Amino acid sequence: ENELSIPLPDEAATERLGARLGALLQPGDFVSLSGDLGAGKTALARAAVRARLGDWQEEVPSPTFTLVQTYEAPDLLITHVDLYRLDRPEDAAELGLGDALDEGALLVEWPDRLGRLPQDRLDISIRLVGEGGAREAHLTGHGQWAARLRELHDP
Ligand code: ADP
Ligand code: MG
């Protein structure tokens, strides 16, 4: 099974999933983050980055305006990308995401703006469920990520 659903009843649950993801990341990892505006893609990515940077790191800015934000964790380079404001798909080539993936892990919001995605990748889709603001994450592991999915299970 290369799919996994994880309930995210509150923001803390989103942060715990992000922390588990952050702990798992390796160079060459491509993670796509899908879902409506406000679903929690950035919250998840920030939690992953924070888990890897260590507690001393207070501020993890959002890449909404810069498109690309790079974080140097002690043992991993993490590049967080938000392509919502990428107007033309051609412009994606200038972002240097191929190099970022060679050197570290890539977390990409609005991955559909890229066109082609790597075959080895983790797709995370977040959607709202019910009335109270709860979310659910749906994870799909492609290629080598299929076997790594279960490590993201709620403990
Ligand atoms: P996106 O990047 O998908 O547009 P953001 O992460 O910027 O969304 O914003 C999501 C908002 O929802 C944040 O205010 C965050 O605190 C909140 N949030 C995240 N996960 C949950 C959750 N599981 N339940 C309720 N609120 C959440
Ligand atoms: Mg966002």
Side-chain angles (χ1 to χ4, degrees):
E1 185 63 276
N2 71 329
E3 296 186 29
L4 181 62
S5 283
I6 298 176
L8 303 174
D10 51 29
E11 196 180 337
T14 298
E15 280 168 10
R16 283 196 302 273
L17 174 59
R20 293 201 297 282
L21 174 64
L24 218 67
L25 289 176
Q26 301 169 1
D29 282 344
F30 185 101
V31 180
S32 82
L33 299 167
S34 304
D36 291 340
L37 274 178
K41 303 179 294 297
T42 299
L44 187 73
R46 282 175 168 177
V49 168
R50 234 184 260 119
R52 210 53 186 249
L53 286 179
D55 292 337
W56 51 269
Q57 187 77 20
E58 289 285 311
E59 272 303 301
V60 177
S62 161
T64 300
F65 297 101
T66 56
L67 295 187
V68 179
Q69 197 89 53
T70 298
Y71 305 94
E72 259 178 83
D75 54 354
L76 180 71
L77 202 70
I78 302 177
T79 304
H80 177 196
V81 189
D82 184 340
L83 300 176
Y84 186 66
R85 281 160 209 278
L86 185 79
D87 295 325
R88 306 182 308 152
E90 309 90 86
D91 295 344
E94 287 160 35
L95 299 175
L97 300 186
D99 289 341
L101 194 58
D102 287 341
E103 291 166 23
L106 207 48
L107 308 175
V108 182
E109 296 182 49
W110 301 96
D112 45 303
R113 305 276 201 276
L114 280 183
R116 278 252 302 274
L117 301 181
Q119 293 197 337
D120 277 328
R121 69 176 196 277
L122 171 64
D123 289 337
I124 301 180
S125 166
I126 308 172
R127 61 187 187 93
L128 272 91
V129 289
E131 304 286 299
R135 274 76 157 166
E136 185 178 69
H138 190 79
L139 283 58
T140 308
H142 300 275
Q144 50 119 325
W145 266 105
R148 294 167 72 194
L149 255 198
R150 55 192 162 78
E151 296 178 57
L152 287 166
H153 239 302
D154 242 321

